[in-house]
Each structure stands twice: as structure tokens, then as C-alpha cells.
Amino acid sequence: MTLRAPTILIVDDEAKNRRLLAVLLQPEGYSTCGAASGEEALAAIGASAPDLILLDITMPGMDGYRVASILKADPATANIPIIMVTAHMERTARLAGLDAGAEDFLTKPVDRAELWLRVRNLLRLKAYGDLQDHSARLESQVLARTVDLQRFRTAMDATADAIMLISRASMRFSEVNETACHLLGYSRADLLSMGPAELIKTSRAALECQYDALIVDGADRDQREMMMTRKDGLSVQVEVHSQALRSGNDWTIVVVVRDITERKQAEKRLTHLAHHDSLTGLPNRTLFYDTLQRTLALARGSGALVAVMFLDLDNFKNINDTLGHAIGDELLLQFSNRLMQCVRVRDTVGRLGGDEFALILIMQDCQQGAVVIAQKIRDVLRAPFILSGHEVTITASIGITVHPDDASDPDTLIKYADTAMYQAKHAGRDTYRFFTAQMNADVLARLTLETALRKAIENEEFVLHYQPKVHLNSGRVAGLEALLRWDRPGHGLVPPNAFIPVLEETGMIVQVGSWVVAQACRQIGLWLRSPVGPIQVAVNVSGRQFAEGDLDGDVIKGLALHGIPAELLDLELTETSLMANTERTTEILHRLKQHGVRISIDDFGTGYSSLAYLRRFPIDKLKIDIAFIRDLTTSPDDAAIVLAIISMAHSLKLDVVAEGVETAAQLNYLRRHHCDQIQGYYFSRPLPADQVTDMLLQDKRLAPPDGAEQPRKTLLIVDDDLFMLDILANLFGRDGYHILCARSAAEGFDMLALNEVQVILCDECMPAMSGTEFLDKVKELYPKTFRIVLSGNTDLESIMKAVNCGAIFRFYTKPWDNNLLRDHVRDAFRQFMAIA
């Protein structure tokens, strides 16, 4: 059985509009016909009633309103759904269409999807039966209203929200649920005799306008927050959702009311938490700033004086570290209570974070009044705090700034008070300081310096100077230390102590330190590929650079980029930076050490490291701080410390460098006590790279010691291979030894007779006499010498025999590890010196 396609009559005086609507409806399978006027439409409907009518409002002769009214007045056509189509959709037009009986509206130009949706929905309603029959069923339902109403009330009463039905015609409640009665304190009968205007503070006319807007907007909802008045006169804060539904010839406004009192209270609590410190309940930084802004605005109008005070508890960190954070929190809470006792109701106390508090004081005599408050605060802190059985005494440093004398905006006043507080800290704590013009000048100078340093980084204004380190035994340059200098435009070279602390404090040292590593590697590479040759350069590493930067990444990148051996780069770190994070420090240093980078501890003796930790770090060298060298020849204490460091370092097989050597007396003392290297103005001040190049090419050296008080460290190398002799001589020449070479055992005996030799490095496979045979005889002639065999083809039996009889102390095979061999030769000289 084939179903008949629904017929739609399109009524419009313009043919193109009729064609367009027909085309839009065609894909949905509807049958369409058209009429050019209202009269023609009525005639067509009389001949054959359509299933739905698309009716233009504005037409010559009979308009759409008239056509709709006629059709709805006739029982034969009253059930035909009408959709009015118009370019004008003002509220009055919609009301007029509703009065005429239209079920729905479409706005020109017509949207295809909307057209399909509205047509489909109205045809579905019609499919359920004739609209006239539907009205009859509604009439029968009205007869059974009592039963349905009871069901409706049961469902409504089960909801947690208050539900109210309002008749638009009478503006009175037509139904309410039990929740509404409970919420407002009225009985159901009371509410059904009332209207919504009696519960809210608004006029009936205003409500009518609100409800009419809902009716015109159709299914759109209205949501508002308002106050409703209960029967007992109290107000309750509610959230109201309203919707209009057609109810016969009337409209019902469905209102859902939700009590939001608890939600609002929770929001207030959250707002309070967002603006107040959770521990003390005081205003936090945000609220303090807002309060200061409002106070300053009032003060400008009244001419009042405003003081801002910053307070910081002295040594609070020690309490947290020793007694725990719970005790620290209890101290902050008790301190805030004492602080509140020192101010008046109109003053503001805030906690800005940690152990930092701030006050806003409105004064007549601002300076004297602030002094009185500051003294009160100091007085209340005299009594100890009792914290979980612990008796704790604490003081505070206070900074004070004044409006309008110092500044007139919150940011500046807070900054100035903070600056003054730090001045109080520097003055010895437990005191107060006012912000002064000099403080301002100092702050501005600091800001200017910071800005200039940031530009210096961008403009590459930094340069490296290099200070030589010298072997004490040979007097030759052992390496260089790269030192940062700032060539500031208009100022020349700025001393390091004038800008490096600022780089440290601001964190810029991380970026600058990375640049220093790169530049040092670049310079090492330039020297390596020049007549200067390989020269070791030490770079100072800041604690922040070590903790926050990518030190190992910077080093590995610099070595690879400039093609330099890792052993030519020496990183100098202070004890403090090493101990800041021992696990991470150990990991990074071992990674660098695996690459071959040398590691030194700078300023040794001024930090707090221990021997236990020193054993964990892969250290090559200790640098004795200048503080112990300066009075070395006159202070017994400094001399004892220096000798202890040298002895300890040598026992750990570490080299020792004394920095800051400026006199011959210092030099001779260190040389006499076997310090390995010195660095300081006695030999050379830090120099630019080009002057260092000239110095190295000229092979500038320390003058040799007077007499034979300090013998040279002499290394005898015996090998019949001239090529091997050259390689070994070059390898150990960089360590400052006096190198003697012999190509046979006979030449070796001659060298030993002519020179004082401490260490012998001998090849095993030589003509006439093997290395072990040669060294066996040397043991008898020169028993104090330290004897080492180095060979590529060896007889293990003869080697073991030589070791067992004491002819040799060490044995190494070819090829060898340069660094390992150098380390052991260095250790051999130390052992010789210890025996001697």
C-alpha cells in the first residue's frame, strides 16, 4: 500500500517565492501547490484541503492574518497547520500571528533545514489525529483533571526544587509543589490565592513584560538570581528558571525555583580563601594590594598620611629547619595574633607569604606614628613563644615607607618598604628603617646596572682575560684561568666585584656562564692550532649555573664545536656549589670526568665540605683560597691551614694550586712545602688573550730557586725507539718535569750519574740489556728512585721476578692511557718526595 505524500499549499503573491519553497520541499517528498492571493488560497482549500499551509503575511487584498483567521474560524479547516512566512518578525507581528491562529513562523530568507524541521513537526502532530479531535480529547482530559492533577502534584512534590505554575491571564499561581510551600513558609492554599508579584520586589507590570517576552521567544528559557520573601518576612536567595507553555487560550509560566543560599555561602567562603591567608586568616598579597589602592585613593581626597610597613621574621628558616614546619606554622599564627594587638581597627595587617607580613597605617603624624607601631611590635616580640613545649624567641626586621613623601602608588610603596626592610636586615636585624632618598638612589643604580648587564649580554660586551698558573718546580706556565671582564661602553673595564654579584643574584650568571664556557673552548682551540699549542684553561662555574643551567651540555658542545681535547678544559667549582645538591653534583661531575674534563675545587678552605664528600667527587685539583695566602708568612694559623691542605691533597693524589700569590716570600714558602702550582700577581696579572699569547710564545717562566734547596723533578725516559722518546717527552713536558732521555741502558747509567733523578720510565725490550735488567742494577745504585717499566712485548716471568725483588714499582703496557700514565708518574714523584 502506497502512502499519499502530504500536500502543502504555498500562498505568496510572488511567483519566485512559491517556486523557491516548492524546490526546497521537493527533496522531502512533499506534494506542493500554490496560490497567489488570499482569495485564491481560500478557493483552493475549499476545493481540496491541504495537509499544511505556508502562508505569506503581506499580500495585496487579503493578508495572511485574515486568511488564517478565516481558516481557524471554520471547523472544516481549523485543524490545518499554518506556518506564517514573512520578512518581518517583530514581536507585534508574532503576537498578531498567534492571535490569528498560526502554529509556527518562518523568517525570509527561509533556511532549508529549518523549513524541513518545522514542516515535519507540524505534520507529525497532525498525523496523530485531527486537531479538532485533539481538542475533544483535551476536553475529556479536563473532566479527568482531578486524577491527573493528583498525579502531577505527586511528581512535582517529589522534586527537590520548588515548582510554580503561573497563569499569564490572571498573574496568579495555578499550581505549586510541596517544596515551594516549605521554601516560602506558605501552605498550598495560601500560595494558590497569591501571585508571584507578592513574593519578589517587583511590580506586576514588570512581571507581565517578562512573561510576554518568554511567550514571544517560544521555547527560550529565562534564568535569574533574586531574593524571595518568606511568610515570616525573611529573605531567601534563589535561582529562578522560567518557561512559557501554551495552555488552551491561556499561557502557563512554569517557574522552577532553587534555594542557592548554601551555594552563595560556599562562594563567599571561596572568595574569602582567595583573598585571605589560609593559616592566619589575614588578607593575602592580592587583598592587601587592593586595600592599599583603596586607602591611597581615600587619602588623596582627605590629605591623610599613609604608612606601609614590611616585616620579616629574623632567622625564621632556622626554626623551620630545626623544629619542623608545623612548629613554624604555629609561630606564624601566634605572631599574627600579637601583630593584630599592635594596630587599630582602621589599620590593615596582611601576610604576603612565608614569614613576610605587611601593615597599612593611616596616621596624622605618619613618621612618629609608624615609629610607635614599630616599637610596639618589637615589644610584643620580647616575650618568648611557647610552641609545642619549645620556648622560642624571635625578632623582626621592619621597613617603613610613607605616602605621599616617598611615593603615591601601591607598587612603588610596596617596593620601597621591601627595600627599607632589607636595610633593617643589613643593620643587624631586630630594628626598623625608613625608606630614604639614598635608598632610592641605590635601588635605581641597581636597576640601571641590571638593565646595562642585560644589554651587555645582548651586545656581547663581555671579554675574557687569562691569568697564568705556574709550576713551582719548573717555573713554566701550567695553565690559565679564564676571568670574566665587562667592557662597558663609556666606562671601560668594570671590576668583577662590581657586576658579578648582580649576575649571580638575578640569575643572569647562568647565561653568561654558558657564554664563558663557549668562549674559553674557542680560545683553547685557537691556541691549539697555533704555535702556542695545547694549553689548559680553567673556567669558574657559578653555583646557580651548576644548579640551573646545562653545564655538561655546554661543556660537551664547546669541546665538540672547537675540536679540543677534554683534558684542556678545567672546571673550577666552589665547595658551596658542590655541596648544594650532592647527588646531582656527583652525577654531573662523573659524566664530565668520563669525557676527560678536569675538575678543581676553587677557594678551598672557605666552604663546608668534608673529606667524606671529597672522596665522592672526581676532583683533580684543590685551589687554596687567597684568604689563607695573603698572610701566609706572618700568620701561624694561615700557615697551618695551608700546610694541612697541601698534605691532605697530596694524600688524596690531588694537585694543589695557591691563588693570590703576590710576594717572593709567599712563593718561597709554598715552594719549600711542595705546593704544586701558584697563581697571582707575582707572576702575572690577568691579561687579554693576545698578551697571553705573546707570553706563552716567549716561554716566560718563574726564576729558579736560589741554591739547591728545592731539587727539580727529573724524569728519565729510557727507550731505544727515538719516536717513542719524542712522544713521551712531549707528554710529560706539559707537566713541568725536567726530562732526560736515553736510548740505551748505557746512556741511562750516564744520565743517572750526571743528574739527580727521582723517577725512571724504561722500555722493557732494548738491545744489549732489557729494561728489567737495567732497573735491577739501578735499584742497587740509586735505591730511592721510583722505577717504572713500559713495554709492548713483555716476558711476564721476568716482570714478576723484577717486581718481587723490588727492581720495579710499576709496569704498564703499550699503548697506554695518557691521563692514567701521567697521574701515576705524578704520584711517583709525590712518593719520592715523601720518602726524601
Side-chain angles (χ1 to χ4, degrees):
M1 177 180 177
T2 304
L3 296 177
R4 181 181 65 85
T7 302
I8 298 175
L9 174 63
I10 303 171
V11 185
D12 195 304
D13 59 314
E14 292 188 17
K16 63 179 181 180
N17 289 341
R18 296 195 301 274
R19 287 195 299 271
L20 175 61
L21 289 172
V23 169
L24 291 176
L25 291 167
Q26 186 177 3
E28 289 294 290
Y30 300 125
S31 173
T32 60
C33 55
S37 66
E39 294 82 352
E40 186 178 337
L42 292 175
I45 294 168
S48 177
D51 295 298
L52 183 143
I53 302 171
L54 294 175
L55 178 61
D56 186 24
I57 293 178
T58 305
M59 294 184 296
M62 186 183 296
D63 63 12
Y65 298 133
R66 179 62 180 157
V67 173
S69 299
I70 293 172
L71 292 174
K72 293 301 181 181
D74 185 351
T77 57
N79 64 337
I80 301 175
I82 298 175
I83 299 176
M84 286 194 164
V85 184
T86 179
H88 307 287
M89 288 302 293
E90 295 86 0
R91 183 181 172 196
T92 54
R94 296 190 66 158
L95 287 173
L98 290 171
D99 288 340
E103 277 73 23
D104 212 337
F105 297 87
L106 280 172
T107 306
K108 294 179 181 179
V110 175
D111 179 78
R112 180 177 61 180
E114 185 180 8
L115 172 65
W116 291 354
L117 181 64
R118 295 182 184 274
V119 168
R120 188 185 307 121
N121 288 342
L122 286 177
L123 287 175
R124 282 175 179 171
L125 285 175
K126 190 173 185 302
Y128 284 110
D130 186 88
L131 288 179
Q132 187 63 37
D133 294 338
H134 181 65
S135 297
R137 284 196 302 272
L138 287 177
E139 290 294 334
S140 65
Q141 290 173 4
V142 169
L143 297 177
R145 185 176 184 278
T146 303
V147 175
D148 291 345
L149 183 58
Q150 186 59 46
R151 292 199 193 101
F152 177 64
R153 283 181 174 175
T154 300
M156 286 176 58
D157 290 343
T159 64
D161 294 329
I163 301 176
M164 304 173 177
L165 306 185
I166 302 166
S167 167
R168 170 61 187 88
S170 66
M171 289 300 292
R172 303 184 76 81
F173 294 116
S174 59
E175 187 56 75
V176 296
N177 69 350
E178 197 63 39
T179 308
C181 299
H182 178 74
L183 176 66
L184 299 171
Y186 290 97
S187 67
R188 190 189 300 270
D190 289 338
L191 287 176
L192 293 178
S193 66
M194 300 167 59
E198 300 173 58
L199 300 177
I200 57 178
K201 295 181 180 178
T202 188
S203 65
R204 173 170 174 154
L207 276 177
E208 288 177 343
C209 290
Q210 177 187 335
Y211 294 160
D212 286 344
L214 273 175
I215 292 170
V216 171
D217 292 338
D220 291 345
R221 296 174 181 269
D222 178 73
Q223 178 178 331
R224 303 173 185 225
E225 290 183 5
M226 62 180 66
M227 302 298 294
M228 280 190 166
T229 304
R230 291 169 44 87
K231 185 176 182 179
D232 56 13
L234 297 178
S235 295
V236 59
Q237 194 163 10
V238 297
E239 182 180 80
V240 177
H241 298 259
S242 303
Q243 185 176 8
L245 298 176
R246 181 185 283 277
S247 179
N249 295 326
D250 193 6
W251 285 84
T252 296
I253 310 301
V254 180
V255 177
V256 179
V257 180
R258 178 169 296 171
D259 184 355
I260 59 172
T261 304
E262 291 185 1
R263 190 178 81 191
K264 288 298 179 181
Q265 290 173 347
E267 289 175 358
K268 286 181 180 179
R269 287 194 296 271
L270 288 175
T271 301
H272 183 273
L273 289 174
H275 293 86
H276 291 78
D277 175 48
S278 59
L279 175 65
T280 64
L282 296 175
N284 62 11
R285 184 179 291 272
T286 301
L287 182 56
F288 183 87
Y289 183 92
D290 293 343
T291 304
L292 179 57
Q293 202 164 33
R294 291 194 301 270
T295 303
L296 292 175
L298 293 173
R300 294 186 196 101
S302 63
L305 301 175
V306 179
V308 177
M309 300 177 67
F310 256 44
L311 297 86
D312 188 86
L313 296 180
D314 299 326
N315 300 315
F316 175 75
K317 184 177 183 296
N318 293 340
I319 295 172
N320 259 350
D321 292 344
T322 56
L323 299 181
H325 288 277
I327 298 293
D329 287 348
E330 179 61 26
L331 173 60
L332 293 174
L333 182 58
Q334 291 190 28
F335 172 73
S336 68
N337 293 334
R338 293 192 190 184
L339 197 56
M340 292 295 293
Q341 300 170 14
C342 300
V343 299
R344 301 153 301 179
V345 175
R346 67 183 181 182
D347 299 326
T348 300
V349 179
R351 182 187 177 205
L352 305 189
D355 60 326
E356 200 171 65
F357 294 80
L359 283 72
I360 302 171
L361 311 173
I362 302 174
M363 302 283 186
Q364 294 302 319
D365 180 357
C366 207
Q367 182 162 330
Q368 189 56 38
V371 169
V372 171
I373 299 295
Q375 196 56 52
K376 280 185 179 180
I377 294 170
R378 297 179 69 200
D379 290 341
V380 300
L381 290 177
R382 300 290 181 234
F385 293 87
I386 307 302
L387 308 168
S388 299
H390 300 278
E391 188 175 288
V392 174
T393 301
I394 199 163
T395 59
S397 297
I398 305 171
I400 309 170
T401 188
V402 179
H403 160 81
D405 297 343
D406 296 328
S408 297
D409 64 283
D411 288 323
T412 306
L413 284 170
I414 290 175
K415 180 176 66 176
Y416 284 175
D418 193 33
T419 301
M421 183 267 290
Y422 277 104
Q423 290 297 324
K425 290 275 188 191
H426 295 320
R429 299 182 171 86
D430 189 23
T431 188
Y432 58 86
R433 286 290 184 270
F434 280 87
F435 181 81
T436 65
Q438 183 58 46
M439 284 186 194
N440 190 30
D442 293 342
V443 169
L444 290 176
R446 167 63 181 261
L447 291 175
T448 301
L449 182 59
E450 285 187 24
T451 302
L453 284 170
R454 295 186 192 281
K455 289 183 179 178
I457 295 173
E458 296 175 4
N459 300 334
E460 297 186 354
E461 297 171 9
F462 293 109
V463 295
L464 292 183
H465 284 194
Y466 299 87
Q467 188 173 37
K469 291 182 282 189
V470 186
H471 283 295
L472 279 178
N473 60 332
S474 68
R476 300 184 67 181
V477 173
L480 305 167
E481 180 179 0
L483 298 167
L484 186 64
R485 297 291 184 265
W486 179 17
D487 190 5
R488 186 177 181 184
H491 295 76
L493 286 179
V494 181
N497 59 353
F499 69 91
I500 288 182
V502 179
L503 292 177
E504 288 275 5
E505 293 170 18
T506 59
M508 288 187 277
I509 193 66
V510 176
Q511 185 176 356
V512 173
S514 178
W515 177 87
V516 170
V517 170
Q519 286 298 109
C521 289
R522 173 181 171 276
Q523 186 60 58
I524 294 171
L526 292 175
W527 279 324
L528 181 64
R529 286 175 279 277
S530 76
V532 171
I535 184 76
Q536 189 179 77
V537 176
V539 173
N540 289 288
V541 178
S542 145
R544 292 193 69 165
Q545 180 186 2
F546 197 86
E548 302 171 20
D550 182 17
L551 179 61
D552 46 347
D554 291 339
V555 168
I556 293 169
K557 179 181 177 182
L559 296 175
L561 182 62
H562 300 288
I564 60 174
E567 65 192 41
L568 295 183
L569 182 64
D570 184 3
L571 299 180
E572 294 188 0
L573 303 99
T574 64
E575 292 173 90
T576 303
S577 63
L578 283 172
M579 301 298 293
N581 186 339
T582 54
E583 293 300 326
R584 183 171 184 270
T585 298
T586 304
E587 180 184 346
I588 293 175
L589 291 184
H590 277 288
R591 281 205 302 267
L592 291 170
K593 191 65 178 175
Q594 288 172 1
H595 285 279
V597 176
R598 297 291 175 169
I599 309 293
S600 300
I601 298 184
D602 196 13
D603 302 335
F604 188 78
T606 61
Y608 51 87
S609 63
S610 68
L611 291 178
Y613 276 110
L614 277 181
R615 289 190 306 166
R616 294 178 57 186
F617 299 132
I619 306 301
D620 298 294
K621 195 180 301 179
L622 297 183
K623 295 188 71 177
I624 305 174
D625 187 70
I626 188 175
F628 304 114
I629 303 300
R630 190 176 290 115
D631 299 321
L632 177 65
T633 59
T634 59
S635 170
D637 291 339
D638 287 349
I641 291 173
V642 169
L643 294 181
I645 293 174
I646 293 174
S647 176
M648 178 193 69
H650 286 168
S651 68
L652 294 173
K653 300 181 181 179
L654 304 176
D655 282 343
V656 182
V657 182
E659 54 184 352
V661 176
E662 298 180 351
T663 68
Q666 294 168 346
L667 172 67
N668 290 333
Y669 187 93
L670 292 164
R671 179 179 272 154
R672 188 181 310 118
H673 291 90
H674 313 303
C675 183
D676 299 296
Q677 300 173 21
I678 62 105
Q679 176 182 350
Y681 279 25
Y682 182 79
F683 182 79
S684 173
R685 67 178 57 247
L687 300 171
D690 56 346
Q691 294 183 34
V692 173
T693 301
D694 294 338
M695 175 190 293
L696 296 173
L697 292 175
Q698 293 167 13
D699 195 20
K700 179 182 176 182
R701 304 188 185 194
L702 277 174
D706 295 333
E709 180 183 32
Q710 176 72 20
R712 291 184 296 179
K713 291 183 179 179
T714 303
L715 171 66
L716 172 61
I717 305 173
V718 184
D719 199 311
D720 62 321
D721 188 336
L722 182 60
F723 178 69
M724 282 295 176
L725 281 177
D726 289 339
I727 290 177
L728 291 168
N730 288 330
L731 175 65
F732 292 104
R734 70 180 68 171
D735 293 327
Y737 306 133
H738 177 220
I739 306 295
L740 300 175
C741 294
R743 297 189 63 186
S744 66
E747 287 184 17
F749 286 129
D750 290 341
M751 291 290 183
L752 288 169
L754 294 171
N755 300 276
E756 182 176 343
V757 175
Q758 293 87 27
V759 179
I760 304 172
L761 183 64
C762 182
D763 182 37
E764 169 64 10
C765 299
M766 295 188 299
M769 185 180 291
S770 69
T772 52
E773 292 172 334
F774 169 69
L775 292 178
D776 188 53
K777 293 184 178 294
V778 169
K779 179 194 71 169
E780 302 298 326
L781 295 171
Y782 305 99
K784 291 185 178 180
T785 55
F786 199 97
R787 300 171 294 279
I788 303 173
V789 166
L790 180 67
S791 180
N793 182 18
T794 181
D795 176 6
L796 286 178
E797 183 177 351
S798 62
I799 293 295
M800 292 302 298
K801 180 179 178 181
V803 171
N804 291 334
C805 71
I808 63 174
F809 296 97
R810 295 280 188 275
F811 170 73
Y812 298 98
T813 59
K814 299 177 183 179
W816 59 84
D817 183 297
N818 282 349
N819 290 331
L820 184 64
L821 186 59
R822 288 171 64 194
D823 287 343
H824 283 285
V825 168
R826 189 181 299 115
D827 187 51
F829 278 107
R830 289 183 185 137
Q831 292 192 43
F832 179 91
M833 299 301 292
I835 296 172

